Structures are given as C-alpha cells and as structure tokens.
C-alpha cells in the first residue's frame, strides 16, 4: 500500500471519481463530505494525505488546513479549488498545506503531487523512527549492568539530567563517559537540540581553539571564511568535552568565560558571541590534584565540578560482563551478517578473570575479534587472545612473582601472545630451540 488518502469534498460524484483514479495507483482511499465527518475519520484512521476542497458546507479548507496541521503535523494537505484563487492558495501554504490544485485544470498533477506528498510523509516517519531509536540507544535504560557501582552512577546521572547544570564525568579511559553524556543530554530539557562531542586531547593547541571557538575570515593564513566553533554549533544544546584535563591553560580561561558569562570571542573577532549551551566534561585525571599542582585552573575546576559522577572501571563490575558480552556479540554478529553465536561458560569465565585495564572499550575489541575468528561457531576459549586464555594460569599458578620459574613462565606467555601463538617465531625471539620451547610449554601447562 502506497499510503492512505482522505478526500474531503461535498460533491459526491467528483469524490467517487477521484477515489477510483487514486485507488488505481495503489493508495488506500477514504471519503468525507464535510469537515466534521473528516475529523471523525482522522481520529480513527492513520491518514497520510488529505485532499480537501476549499469550499465546504461547514467551513473552508484553508482554515481547516491550519487546524489540522496544528493537531496532526505529520499529515500533508492538498487543497482543491474550483477557481484557482491565488490568495487562497498563498494562505493555504502559509497555513501548512503541501500544495493546492485547480479542479479540472490540474487533473494530471494529482497523482504526481500525491506521490510527492506521500514521500514526504514516509521520510518524516523514518526520521521519527530513527530519532526514537537514537533516543533509546542513548537512554539510561540502554546502559547495561546491574552491579551496584554502575547503578549508582546511572541514578546520579538521571537525577542531574533535567537540572541543566554542568556535569563532570570521572573515570578511567573506556568506561563509557560519552554514552553517559549522551544519556544526560537525551534526558534533559535540551533533548532534540544539538549534541556535540570533542576530544580535547586529539588536537594541537591552535587547532583546538579553532575547533572549539571558531574564527573570523582573515584571522590567519588560509582563513578564507568565517568558521563556527563547536560551542556555537552546540548552541541551545549540549557540548561534551572529553579529556578536559588536556586543554591548554589559555583555552581553559576562554572556556571559563563561557561558563561564567555564556559568551566568548572568536579568533580574529572583536565582538563576543553569545551562546546558550550546557557543558558536560570528562577526564581520567584527578583534576583536583592537577589544580593543586598548577596544571589546571582551579577556578575552572570548581565551575566544572558542580556535579561530579564517578564511572566505575569494568574490574569493579565483573558481574555485568555476561550481559555486556551478550549485547556486543549480537551487535558484531549483525555487523558481519551472521547468526548470533552462543557463548560458552568457559568463554565468560575467562572474561571475568581478566582485569580489563582498557575497560568496556577493550572488552568490545576482544569480543569483535572473537566473533570474527569464530566464523559463526559458538564462542569458546580458543577464540580469545592468548593472555585471556591463560589468565587463570597466571593468577592461580601457585608460584611467587619473585620466583625465577614464574618470571620465565610469564615471559614465555608474553612472547607467545606477541607472536599470536607462532611457536617457531616465539622460540627465535626467546633465543631457545623449538624443542626447548615445547618442553617449557608442557612444563608450565600452557598448551591448552
């Protein structure tokens, strides 16, 4: 079905003729003789396009188009007039009508115009669907985990989200700070407004200033036209500044001015630019300590630290690993168009033994690699990197870390991992014979 069209016209014969013509093109067509009956149909049915006569027994199509668009903005309206009244047509467009046609003269335009109107409706529906998906993706419900540390962080973030205050997200790299920033934005009064993210450690000082604050044409060589900075791009919305601790001191003072006065001066400009923007910052550094050492502006630290949320490292929420693994395996399986693999208990056990210094980011990388290696088979220990495969051997080997055998064992493990378990290459790097390496692998129980 191409869509649903409602024809509103008090001339029954004309209505029936139009219905037959439009239905032949695959549209589902409904009829109404006046505005009152049309309103009842619209309340019950999902209408895409309304074809409405200008002169009706209980009102005008021009006025009705305004009322309809206010209540049902997704419906497109095409007005029909017997006289091609231009002022009526202009007013109809102002009231939100898609277009207007002159009866009899524009018959050849009806179907192409309907198709265009339907395309617009369907595009809007796809956009709304995507917006809902994005909203769901970046909601607090989408943050996986039932452990106490992550639930505490989610509870704090959900409380501060509507408050429109500055938020500082703390925690190690890879703990999901941008996901939290997005969720805070999507649960704030600024939802639907721009969300802009910038990693302050990814740019040199000069580039960071240009990216953040923009510049005027002629400010420097090759500045041929004005450039909006990301703070201005985020106006009315939220800007997320990751790795804020890496920001140079002079730019820290410019950011402080934004927080205090809601304005800044672009490079090469003399007038301030006003903005209405919420700032969410993140760092894996101890900003208080950095401020005490003079490496970070103390006044900026206190302005950013209005509401701080500590995101827990993965090693402190290992009970969440099974749920995270299930989710990411599903994502990566879909990415390469294969069925979602089953995860064996041994695979999960090895994941939970690992310390995850790279946190969720590291876990994602390991799982993506495993999904590719498995090629559709169930995920088992052999699909993990070597250091995860022998994690329990390292942690429960029963030998002192100062014991010579322990040191040798760990060194062999590292080299085997480096060579992706290529024993010939490992023996060469260790400067021992291949037979000796096999003997030590057997001795240390590294062969499974």
């Amino acid at each position: 079905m191409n869509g649903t069209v409602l024809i509103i016209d008090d001339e029954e014969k004309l209505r029936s003729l139009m219905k037959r013509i439009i239905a032949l093109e695959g549209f589902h067509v409904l009829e109404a003789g006046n505005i009152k009956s049309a309103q009842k149909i619209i309340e019950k049915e999902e209408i895409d396009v309304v074809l409405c006569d200008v002169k009706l027994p209980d009102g005008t199509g021009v006025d009705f188009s305004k009322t309809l668009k206010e209540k049902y903005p997704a419906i497109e309206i095409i007005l029909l007039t017997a006289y091609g009244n231009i002022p009526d047509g202009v007013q109809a467009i102002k009231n939100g009508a898609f277009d207007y046609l002159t009866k009899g003269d524009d018959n050849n335009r009806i179907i192409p115009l309907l198709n265009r109107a339907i395309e617009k409706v369907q595009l809007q529906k796809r956009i709304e669907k995507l917006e809902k998906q994005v909203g769901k993706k970046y909601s607090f419900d989408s943050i996986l985990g039932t452990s106490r540390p992550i639930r505490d962080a989610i509870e704090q973030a959900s409380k501060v989200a509507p408050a429109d205050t500055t938020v500082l997200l703390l925690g190690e790299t890879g703990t999901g700070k941008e996901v939290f920033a997005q969720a805070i934005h999507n649960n704030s009064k600024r939802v639907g407004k721009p969300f802009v993210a910038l990693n302050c450690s990814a740019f040199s000082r000069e580039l960071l200033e240009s990216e953040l604050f923009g510049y005027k044409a002629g400010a420097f060589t090759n500045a041929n036209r004005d450039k909006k900075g990301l703070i201005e791009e985020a106006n009315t919305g939220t800007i997320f500044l990751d790795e804020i601790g890496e920001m140079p001191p002079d730019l820290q003072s410019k950011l402080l001015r934004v927080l205090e006065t809601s304005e800044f001066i672009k490079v090469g400009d003399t007038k301030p630019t006003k903005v209405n923007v919420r700032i969410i910052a993140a760092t894996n550094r101890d900003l208080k300590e950095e401020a005490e050492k003079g490496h970070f502006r103390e006044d900026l630290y206190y302005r950013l630290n209005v509401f701080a949320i500590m995101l827990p490292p993965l090693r402190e929420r290992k009970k969440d690993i099974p749920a995270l693994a299930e989710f990411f395996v599903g994502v990566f399986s879909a990415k390469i168009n294969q069925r979602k693999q089953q995860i064996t208990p041994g695979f999960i056990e090895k994941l939970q033994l690992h310390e995850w210094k790279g946190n969720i980011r590291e876990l994602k990388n390991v799982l993506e690699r495993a999904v590719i290696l498995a090629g559709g088979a169930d995920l088992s220990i052999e699909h993990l990197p070597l250091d995860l495969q022998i994690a329990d051997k390292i942690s429960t080997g029963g030998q002192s870390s100062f014991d010579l055998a322990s040191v040798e064992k760990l060194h062999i493990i590292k080299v085997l991992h480096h060579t992706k378990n290529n024993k010939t290459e490992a023996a060469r790097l260790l400067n021992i014979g291949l037979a000796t390496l096999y003997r030590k692998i057997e001795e240390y129980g590294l062969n499974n």
Side-chain angles (χ1 to χ4, degrees):
M1 195 69 67
N2 287 340
T4 302
V5 178
L6 171 63
I7 301 171
I8 311 172
D9 199 306
D10 58 337
E11 294 183 41
E12 189 176 348
K13 288 183 179 179
L14 179 62
R15 224 170 46 225
S16 299
L17 176 63
M18 289 181 66
K19 179 178 179 179
R20 285 199 299 274
I21 293 169
I22 294 168
L24 285 171
E25 296 296 323
F27 295 102
H28 176 48
V29 186
L30 301 171
E31 301 176 62
N34 53 48
I35 291 172
K36 187 177 180 181
S37 57
Q39 287 173 326
K40 290 179 180 178
I41 292 170
I42 291 167
E43 285 171 6
K44 294 178 182 177
E45 303 284 341
E46 188 175 341
I47 306 297
D48 295 308
V49 179
V50 169
L51 268 175
C52 183
D53 192 11
V54 167
K55 295 187 182 297
L56 293 163
D58 54 351
T60 73
V62 176
D63 293 338
F64 181 57
S65 63
K66 184 178 181 181
T67 305
L68 189 61
K69 287 299 282 188
E70 285 173 355
K71 193 171 182 180
Y72 303 98
I75 295 176
E76 293 301 333
I77 306 152
I78 299 171
L79 286 179
L80 301 168
T81 174
Y83 309 104
N85 188 316
I86 292 175
D88 273 355
V90 170
Q91 189 58 49
I93 300 299
K94 284 183 179 178
N95 287 354
F98 184 77
D99 208 335
Y100 70 98
L101 295 169
T102 303
K103 290 181 181 179
D105 295 343
D106 290 338
N107 287 347
N108 293 335
R109 289 183 59 206
I110 291 176
I111 300 304
L113 200 56
L114 272 177
N115 282 323
R116 280 172 42 215
I118 289 286
E119 279 177 14
K120 185 179 176 184
V121 170
Q122 290 176 343
L123 176 62
Q124 189 58 41
K125 284 180 179 179
R126 286 197 295 270
I127 290 170
E128 287 173 4
K129 186 178 179 182
L130 285 170
E131 284 175 347
K132 285 178 183 176
Q133 288 173 348
V134 168
K136 187 177 179 182
K137 180 180 178 183
Y138 293 115
S139 69
F140 290 117
D141 291 338
S142 71
I143 300 173
L144 297 174
T146 56
S147 62
R148 175 47 53 193
I150 197 66
R151 298 322 301 173
D152 286 346
I154 291 169
E155 185 180 351
Q156 291 177 55
S158 60
K159 283 180 179 177
V160 77
D164 209 38
T165 192
T166 304
V167 178
L168 181 61
L169 300 173
L170 305 170
E172 297 175 9
T173 299
T175 48
K177 293 189 278 289
E178 186 167 347
V179 173
F180 264 80
Q182 280 269 17
I184 290 169
H185 171 74
N186 275 27
N187 287 272
S188 74
K189 299 168 188 173
R190 297 173 184 264
V191 62
K193 303 297 183 181
F195 176 88
V196 179
L198 176 72
N199 188 323
C200 298
S201 67
F203 299 91
S204 65
R205 185 240 168 261
E206 291 75 17
L207 279 175
L208 182 58
E209 183 174 22
S210 295
E211 286 295 314
L212 203 50
F213 300 102
Y215 54 77
K216 295 292 286 182
F220 50 82
T221 307
N222 296 327
N224 301 320
R225 54 194 175 96
D226 292 356
K227 173 185 167 63
K228 272 188 179 182
L230 293 181
I231 286 182
E232 193 175 358
E233 293 283 359
N235 190 36
T236 71
T238 303
I239 186 163
F240 171 57
L241 300 175
D242 200 4
E243 305 296 353
I244 190 74
E246 308 297 325
M247 183 177 283
D250 57 330
L251 297 188
Q252 291 176 28
S253 62
K254 290 190 75 168
L255 180 62
L256 180 63
R257 181 175 179 180
V258 174
L259 283 164
E260 291 180 337
T261 66
S262 297
E263 65 180 33
F264 63 93
I265 297 177
K266 296 180 182 181
V267 179
D269 203 354
T270 54
K271 297 177 183 177
T273 299
K274 297 287 290 184
V275 285
N276 169 18
V277 64
R278 183 184 197 177
I279 294 176
I280 300 176
T283 182
N284 57 11
R285 292 189 178 196
D286 184 336
L287 280 194
K288 185 176 182 182
E289 186 179 314
E290 293 290 306
E292 288 169 355
K293 290 178 180 178
H295 299 157
F296 195 84
R297 287 187 66 114
E298 195 170 24
D299 46 5
L300 177 58
Y301 165 67
Y302 287 118
R303 287 305 302 256
L304 292 173
N305 196 41
V306 176
F307 198 102
I309 302 172
M310 177 61 75
L311 303 190
L314 191 53
R315 63 182 171 276
E316 291 180 8
R317 44 180 297 224
K318 288 190 174 181
K319 68 175 287 188
D320 296 331
I321 286 177
L324 289 165
E326 282 287 344
F327 173 75
F328 288 126
V329 166
V331 169
F332 296 131
S333 297
K335 190 176 175 181
I336 58 175
N337 295 316
Q338 70 178 27
R339 73 171 184 89
K340 182 183 174 185
Q341 295 108 313
Q342 295 297 310
I343 304 175
T344 63
F347 186 92
I348 288 291
E349 185 182 346
K350 293 294 183 181
L351 294 181
Q352 291 183 307
L353 282 168
H354 191 56
E355 286 304 296
W356 301 110
K357 292 180 181 178
N359 294 295
I360 294 173
R361 191 174 297 150
E362 183 188 358
L363 176 66
K364 284 174 67 177
N365 292 341
V366 165
L367 291 170
E368 184 168 17
R369 174 185 181 274
V371 166
I372 293 167
L373 280 177
D378 291 350
L379 297 179
S380 58
I381 295 170
E382 66 188 39
H383 300 123
L384 289 168
L386 187 63
D387 58 334
L388 270 74
Q389 289 185 37
I390 46 79
D392 56 340
K393 295 185 175 73
I394 295 173
S395 58
T396 62
Q399 292 170 298
S400 164
S401 60
F402 296 105
D403 183 86
L404 184 60
S406 292
V407 174
E408 183 179 61
K409 173 183 174 181
L410 288 171
H411 186 58
I412 290 172
I413 288 168
K414 286 178 182 177
V415 174
L416 284 168
H417 184 224
H418 174 75
T419 63
K420 297 181 172 59
N421 216 24
N422 184 325
K423 296 178 179 61
T424 304
E425 178 64 9
R428 187 186 68 78
L429 291 173
L430 289 164
N431 200 25
I432 59 175
L434 186 58
T436 303
L437 177 60
Y438 272 105
R439 179 173 55 77
K440 289 187 177 292
I441 287 171
E442 185 69 30
E443 180 183 339
Y444 294 133
L446 304 179
N447 52 3
N448 50 41

